[in-house]
Structures are given as structure tokens and as C-alpha cells.
């Protein structure tokens, strides 16, 4: 037996207004009257969570879960957990609902969404795939799978799934817009534009979606014109506000945009939305040369929903990489990696810029950022608890060949053939020695940028869960120090050809540096590479708007403005 819905709804309304402790007291009274109902326990758990009483809240969540036996009850309780930003609890409830009824479309889609929100796209993928198998004619399931593929950088798979969703629901304009946004996030601007051509009507929301497409394509004025009614009408979500603010950050309307975002932040926002908006407020303050306000906004953004970062795990991985590098690399007469070039370095060190320049060459295809190399190394034979460098050191020739072949198959699926193919994932700096062992013949270009500039840009970017170490100045400096040490080591000792490129040299002497890079990868000079920003090449990277501009030196020296606040980063960078 459950309490009256009007009573529980009234408590939830009060909770939404911030009356956490009074609601907890009222919920305790309901628990006494309806002890076997999960509903008052769930409200109590939400209220205790909001009041910061974590231990008591966890006990209440456990009690609520024990009283939610059916799929419907588990799903309702999972929504209550989501309303309290308790994503791990919601995950467990939805997983139990899926196990109880594997074909329940609502439970499958909700579980996939929760795992994506937790930064666990890899764990969301089998759930989304199961949803598609169980409901092959569901456009919503295909759209969810497209979103998962996009987050995992399986970009062609994302594009195919998005188009499948559109084909299954030709009259669902809302779904078409959602599919267009997935395509846009996957870098397929032309595909997104084509899908939106089929959207009937000219609603403010569809105009906003077109505005996002304009922004990604570098048509800033058109983007602002399309987004303005939606944003100023108070309808925009955090993503739309963030893009709008980014477009206005270097215009006379920067102060106006900042005021709109600050007003939005006065209301309730989920931690990811709050984080996104605060980062944009920081950018807008920087464009007005209000350095202290800019730093404070970015620091607040990084503190919002900050995820723990396993520093000990990273240090152990780096130590294992150094052990691997100390073992002889087996010589091979074959060169299956010929034509493959890694561009790597600390994030925000110019990797996207250099890839975009090179990809303008007619003989080059760029993959963008992909986790595939790391996925290949994690899948090496042996005990998964053993660090991948130690497993790679123990691999025989056939296991290394298979690992390399799996990575090349990914390149073939995403890019197709080319004389030179580029993978510019910054974290690939960790895998330079490993690449030489699984794909002899490959080359690496290692980017370096002034540490203060690169560190500031990382701290201000808001990368999200995959680069959680950028959210804290100390961990950021710690990682940057290791990256610098590994970069210097690879330049001296890597068992494959390595070229070191300075970001500052690239932006100050672009033709000289690009000629040097083209010579390294074995390609002739072509002046089109310096006009890379006019090619309209689709790109999926944090720097997508910057690489739509000609090479410039505006970002050189950025970190000096923030030196007074960067002490923890500098100390960690220098090993203090």
C-alpha cells in the first residue's frame, strides 16, 4: 500500500523548492504509516541526499530498493534517484529492471542514458545494442545506439544508426532534430544539414538546431541569428546556451551573453549543465579581460560534479610504460604501419591544428580523436588485471600482429585508404612505444606548447569524465609533467621515427614548420595546406571552432594572465 499521490507530490514539490530537512521529517512520518512502500523511503532518501546527510541517505536508498520488487517500481525509484543526481543508485535499479525483463524498452533506454551520463559509454553500448536487437523497428532505440557510438568515436556507426532512426520515423520531426544533433556531434555537418532539410516547419527549436549546424560549419553570424530567438526566449538548454555564449565571446555582445548565462545559473541545473555554463561564463569574462572573474568561473565549473581521478592508477601505468620501453623492440622486416602517423601531446597543445593543416593535403585523411588504440591495447591477451604494457611485453609476434590488424581495420572502417592517415588523439602520447611494436613502419609527431598556456587551456576547457584530471590544478600539473617526460623520452629513444613540433613555432612560422612536417611524413609541399580553414572539413574536437580560422598567435601567452592563480599547477609540474 502506498501513500496518497497528492501527499507525495506535495512533498516532492517542496523538495524542489529546497525544503530538504522539513521534507525529510515529513517523509519519516510517511515511512511510519506506510513502512512497506518504497515511495516514502525514496522521498526520504532524496531529502537526506539534498540535506547532505550521505550516510543516512544511503540507508534510506537501500530500504527503498528492498521495497521495489517489480520492474515498474524499480524504474520509478530509479527516476527518484536521478532526480537526486544519484546516478550510481539509478544504474543499479535499472540494471535490476533489465535483468528482470530483458526486453523492457524503457528500462534498456534509461540504463543506457544513465551510463552515458556517468561517463560510461562503453558500458552503455551493450545495453543499447540489446535494445536494438529486442526492438529493431524502434527509431528511439536506434537513436540511442547512435548517441552511444558517437561518444565512443565510432563515427561511421553513429552516422549509420542515426540515419536508420530517421528512416524508421519519417514523420517524427523531433526525432529528426535529435538525429541531426547526433550527426553534428559526430562531425557529419553535411549529414546533419541534410536531415534538417526534411524537417517540416520552422519552429524556434528547429531554428536552434540549424543554428548549431551553422556554428559547427563556421557560419557564426548565421548561427547567432538562428539561436537568438530560442535563447532570448528562455527555451535554450545548456548545450545551446553554451554554443551561443561561445559565439558571442569575442563580440560586443559578450557582456549580454554573460548576463543571460548567469541568470540561467540561478535556477536548478544538473552538475553537467552547471559545469558547461560556468565554463562559458569564464570564456565570456576572459573576452572582457576580467582575468580573476574568468578563472573563478572556470574553477567553479571544474568543482561542479567533479569526478575522482585515479592518480595511483595513472602513475602505475606510466611506470609500466617505462618498463616496456626498457625492453628491446623486436625487429620486423614488415611495415604494416607504413602511412600511419600519430599526432600526440598534452590536450590543447596544437594537435587539432596540425591535423587540420595536414588533412587539407590531398594525400592525407585524418581520423580525429579515437579511443581505438587504447581499446586495442586493453584487449591484449593475458590477465586484464595486469597492466597492458606488461602484457604487450609478453606477447608473441602473432598477438602483436593481430593487435595491429585490429587497429588498421578500425582505420579502414572510419577513413578508407590514403597515402597518409592520421590519428591525433592527444593521449596517444602514452602509446608511442607500443605502436612501434604492433605496427612497425608507423611514425609519430609529438606536439609541445608552453606549459602555462597548455595547462590554462586544459583547465578552462571542461573536457568531462574522460579527462577528469584536467579539473584539478594539481593533478593537471602532475599529468603534464609525466607527458613532458615521456615526450622527451620518445624523441630520444622511441623505436619509430619521431618528429617534435613546437606549437609556438607552428603559429609563428607556419610554412616552414608545415614543410618540415610534410617532409617527415613523405609528402610534397602543397600550398593548399595553409588554407585548411577554408576546406569545410568536418571535425569532432574541442578545438572545432578555432581550426575554422587561419593560423594565428592569439593564444600565445594566455597563461600569463592567470599565473597568480596557477600555483598548484606550477608546483606539480615542477615536481614540488
Amino acid at each position: 500500500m502506498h501513500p496518497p499521490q497528492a501527499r507525495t507530490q506535495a512533498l516532492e514539490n517542496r523538495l524542489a523548492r529546497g525544503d530538504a530537512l522539513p521534507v525529510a521529517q515529513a517523509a519519516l512520518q510517511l515511512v511510519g504509516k506506510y513502512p512497506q512502500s518504497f515511495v516514502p523511503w525514496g522521498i526520504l532518501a532524496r531529502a537526506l541526499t539534498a540535506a547532505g546527510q550521505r550516510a543516512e541517505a544511503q540507508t534510506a536508498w537501500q530500504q527503498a530498493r528492498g521495497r521495489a520488487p517489480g520492474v515498474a517500481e524499480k524504474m520509478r525509484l530509479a527516476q527518484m534517484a536521478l532526480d537526486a543526481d544519484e546516478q550510481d543508485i539509478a544504474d543499479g535499479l535499472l540494471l535490476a529492471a533489465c535483468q528482470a525483463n530483458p526486453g523492457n524498452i524503457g528500462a534498456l533506454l534509461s540504463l543506457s542514458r544513465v551510463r552515458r551520463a556517468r561517463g560510461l559509454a562503453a558500458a552503455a553500448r551493450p545495453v543499447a545494442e540489446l535494445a536494438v536487437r529486442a526492438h529493431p523497428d524502434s527509431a528511439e532505440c536506434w537513436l540511442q545506439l547512435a548517441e552511444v557510438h558517437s561518444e565512443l568515436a565510432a563515427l561511421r556507426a553513429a552516422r549509420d544508426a542515426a540515419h536508420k532512426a530517421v528512416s524508421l520515423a519519417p514523420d517524427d520531426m523531433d526525432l529528426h532534430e535529435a538525429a541531426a544533433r547526433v550527426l553534428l556531434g559526430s562531425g557529419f555537418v553535411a549529414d546533419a544539414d541534410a536531415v534538417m532539410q526534411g524537417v517540416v516547419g520552422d519552429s524556434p527549436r528547429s531554428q536552434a538546431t540549424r543554428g548549431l549546424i551553422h556554428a559547427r560549419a563556421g557560419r557564426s553570424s548565421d548561427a547567432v541569428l538562428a539561436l537568438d530567438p530560442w535563447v532570448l526566449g528562455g527555451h535554450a538548454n545548456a548545450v545551446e546556451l553554451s554554443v551561443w555564449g561561445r559565439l558571442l565571446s569575442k563580440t560586443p555582445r559578450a557582456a549580454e551573453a554573460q548576463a543571460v548565462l548567469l541568470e540561467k545559473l540561478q535556477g536548478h541545473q544538473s552538475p553537467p549543465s552547471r559545469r558547461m555554463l560556468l565554463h562559458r561564463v569564464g570564456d565570456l569574462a576572459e573576452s572582457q579581460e576580467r582575468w580573476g572573474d574568468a578563472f573563478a568561473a572556470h574553477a567553479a565549473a571544474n568543482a561542479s560534479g567533479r569526478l575522482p581521478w585515479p592518480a595511483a592508477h595513472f602513475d602505475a601505468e606510466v611506470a609500466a610504460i617505462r618498463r616496456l620501453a626498457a625492453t628491446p623492440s623486436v625487429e620486423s622486416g614488415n611495415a604494416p604501419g607504413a602511412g600511419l602517423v600519430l599526432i600526440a601531446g598534452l590536450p590543447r597543445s596544437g594537435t587539432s591544428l596540425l591535423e587540420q593543416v595536414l588533412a587539407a593535403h590531398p594525400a592525407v585523411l585524418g581520423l580525429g580523436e579515437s579511443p581505438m588504440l587504447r581499446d586495442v591495447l586493453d584487449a591484449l591477451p593475458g590477465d586484464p588485471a595486469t597492466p597492458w604494457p606488461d602484457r604487450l611485453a609478453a606477447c608473441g609476434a602473432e598477438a602483436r600482429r593481430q593487435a595491429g590488424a585490429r587497429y588498421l581495420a578500425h582505420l579502414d572502417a572510419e577513413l578508407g585508404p590514403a597515402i597518409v592517415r592520421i590519428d591525433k588523439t592527444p593521449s596517444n602520447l602514452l602509446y608511442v612505444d607500443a605502436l612501434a611494436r604492433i605496427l612497425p613502419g608507423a611514425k609519430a609527431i609529438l606536439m609541445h606548447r608552453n606549459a602555462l598556456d597548455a595547462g590554462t587551456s586544459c583547465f578552462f576547457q571542461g573536457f568531462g569524465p574522460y579527462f577528469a584530471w584536467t579539473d584539478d590544478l594539481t593533478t593537471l600539473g602532475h599529468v603534464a609533467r609525466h607527458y613532458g617526460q615521456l615526450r622527451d623520452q620518445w624523441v630520444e629513444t622511441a623505436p619509430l621515427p619521431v618528429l617534435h613540433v613546437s606549437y609556438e613555432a607552428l603559429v609563428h612560422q607556419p610554412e616552414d614548420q608545415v614543410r618540415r612536417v610534410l617532409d617527415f611524413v613523405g609528402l610534397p609541399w602543397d600550398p593548399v595546406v595553409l588554407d585548411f580553414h577554408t576546406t569545410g572539413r568536418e571535425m569532432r574536437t574541442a578545438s572545432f571552432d578555432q581550426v575554422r580560422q587561419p593560423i594565428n598567435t592569439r593564444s600565445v601567452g594566455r597563461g600569463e594572465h592567470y599565473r597568480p592563480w596557477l600555483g598548484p599547477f606550477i608546483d606539480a609540474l615542477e615536481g614540488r
Side-chain angles (χ1 to χ4, degrees):
M1 184 175 178
H2 301 299
Q5 185 175 357
R7 181 78 184 279
T8 59
Q9 186 61 57
L11 289 178
E12 291 183 352
N13 291 340
R14 290 181 63 190
L15 190 56
R17 295 195 297 268
D19 299 335
L21 287 177
V23 170
Q25 293 168 356
L28 271 174
Q29 295 177 356
L30 280 182
V31 163
K33 295 181 68 174
Y34 303 93
Q36 298 308 312
S37 171
F38 72 91
V39 176
W41 282 106
I43 295 174
L44 176 61
R46 281 189 62 194
L48 292 171
T49 300
Q53 298 181 18
R54 299 290 301 171
E56 295 86 349
Q58 291 299 311
T59 299
W61 285 118
Q62 291 173 2
Q63 292 292 335
R65 181 169 180 169
R67 290 161 172 78
V71 171
E73 290 87 350
K74 286 180 172 62
M75 291 183 64
R76 183 178 173 189
L77 185 59
Q79 185 58 56
M80 297 173 76
L82 288 175
D83 291 338
D85 291 323
E86 291 283 7
Q87 295 176 343
D88 55 339
I89 293 173
D91 189 307
L93 286 161
L94 291 168
L95 177 60
C98 291
Q99 290 169 339
N101 184 355
N104 187 296
I105 188 171
L108 289 167
L109 292 175
S110 296
L111 179 58
S112 177
R113 293 186 185 109
V114 166
R115 290 186 171 178
R116 289 171 50 219
R118 296 177 65 199
L120 303 173
R125 178 165 54 190
V127 180
E129 290 172 341
L130 177 58
V132 164
R133 288 197 300 273
H135 305 277
D137 295 325
S138 167
E140 189 177 6
C141 289
W142 281 101
L143 180 63
Q144 179 70 197
L145 183 60
E147 292 169 343
V148 171
H149 281 318
S150 180
E151 292 178 16
L152 292 172
L155 303 183
R156 290 196 178 186
R159 181 181 62 185
D160 293 345
H163 282 301
K164 178 70 172 178
V166 169
S167 71
L168 288 169
D171 299 322
D172 188 337
M173 298 298 103
D174 290 340
L175 184 134
H176 284 219
E177 288 185 20
R181 293 187 182 217
V182 174
L183 291 164
L184 192 61
S186 303
F188 298 109
V189 180
D191 288 67
D193 206 1
V195 168
M196 286 304 297
Q197 296 300 321
V199 173
V200 178
D202 199 26
S203 68
R205 177 173 169 79
S206 64
Q207 279 292 88
T209 301
R210 292 185 176 94
L212 298 177
I213 293 171
H214 288 316
R216 195 72 184 219
R219 302 187 291 266
S220 299
S221 298
D222 291 338
V224 172
L225 190 63
L227 285 166
D228 260 351
W230 186 247
V231 171
L232 298 179
H235 308 298
N237 62 27
V239 171
E240 294 155 347
L241 278 167
S242 178
V243 171
W244 180 77
R246 191 169 185 166
L247 291 165
L248 295 180
S249 63
K250 294 179 176 64
T251 75
R253 295 179 62 190
E256 174 197 354
Q258 186 173 9
V260 171
L261 268 62
L262 286 171
E263 182 179 359
K264 185 75 171 180
L265 282 163
Q266 295 305 307
H268 174 73
Q269 300 289 333
S270 69
S273 294
R274 181 173 181 80
R275 173 190 180 91
M276 187 182 301
L277 294 175
L278 282 168
H279 274 304
R280 203 57 61 232
V281 167
D283 291 342
L284 289 159
E286 181 178 71
S287 72
Q288 300 167 70
E289 299 187 358
R290 293 162 45 200
W291 314 118
D293 290 344
F295 185 86
H298 287 297
N302 287 334
S304 179
R306 178 180 291 161
L307 296 173
W309 180 70
H313 178 80
F314 174 78
D315 290 346
E317 181 178 14
V318 170
I321 289 169
R322 295 190 186 283
R323 287 196 301 271
L324 175 66
T327 64
S329 180
V330 179
E331 296 293 331
S332 171
N334 300 320
L340 171 62
V341 178
L342 286 193
I343 300 178
L346 197 70
R348 312 297 292 165
S349 62
T351 56
S352 294
L353 173 61
L354 183 58
E355 187 211 24
Q356 189 78 339
V357 169
L358 294 179
H361 196 287
V364 177
L365 289 176
L367 177 65
E369 298 180 4
S370 167
M372 180 50 64
L373 182 53
R374 177 56 188 256
D375 290 348
V376 165
L377 295 173
D378 280 340
L380 288 166
D383 183 354
T386 301
W388 66 261
D390 295 331
R391 284 183 280 140
L392 180 55
C395 279
E398 178 58 20
R400 294 195 303 273
R401 186 198 66 76
Q402 290 179 1
R406 183 180 172 210
Y407 177 75
L408 290 179
H410 175 70
L411 285 185
D412 291 340
E414 293 294 330
L415 290 178
I419 296 173
V420 172
R421 300 191 288 187
I422 297 172
D423 180 341
K424 58 118 321 199
T425 309
S427 58
N428 281 349
L429 183 83
L430 300 172
Y431 317 131
V432 169
D433 182 89
L435 183 70
R437 297 169 189 265
I438 66 172
L439 283 173
K443 298 180 179 181
I445 300 172
L446 305 184
M447 295 294 299
H448 173 249
R449 182 183 178 188
N450 172 274
L452 215 60
D453 290 350
T456 299
S457 293
C458 283
F459 190 66
F460 287 6
Q461 182 59 46
F463 283 107
Y466 296 107
F467 291 95
W469 49 270
T470 63
D471 289 351
D472 177 84
L473 289 173
T474 298
T475 58
L476 175 56
H478 181 78
V479 172
R481 180 165 61 89
H482 278 298
Y483 267 51
Q485 291 171 347
L486 282 174
R487 182 193 63 243
D488 294 343
Q489 179 176 344
W490 299 147
V491 169
E492 295 294 328
T493 65
L496 82 174
V498 170
L499 181 69
H500 179 232
V501 176
S502 158
Y503 171 81
E504 288 75 18
L506 177 62
V507 298
H508 280 107
Q509 301 102 30
E511 182 171 339
D512 291 345
Q513 291 300 309
V514 176
R515 283 183 180 275
R516 177 171 165 255
V517 172
L518 288 174
D519 183 65
F520 173 71
V521 301
L523 293 176
W525 169 254
D526 190 323
V528 72
V529 295
L530 296 183
D531 292 324
F532 65 93
H533 56 288
T534 66
T535 64
R537 175 177 176 256
E538 296 174 338
M539 192 148 196
R540 186 182 190 266
T541 169
S543 308
F544 72 86
D545 55 345
Q546 292 149 312
V547 297
R548 299 290 187 201
Q549 308 166 23
I551 292 178
N552 62 76
T553 60
R554 288 194 295 268
S555 295
V556 175
R558 182 189 191 191
E560 284 299 329
H561 297 298
Y562 301 99
R563 183 179 286 275
W565 300 281
L566 293 175
F569 169 74
I570 295 170
D571 288 345
L573 182 69
E574 296 178 355
R576 294 199 293 265

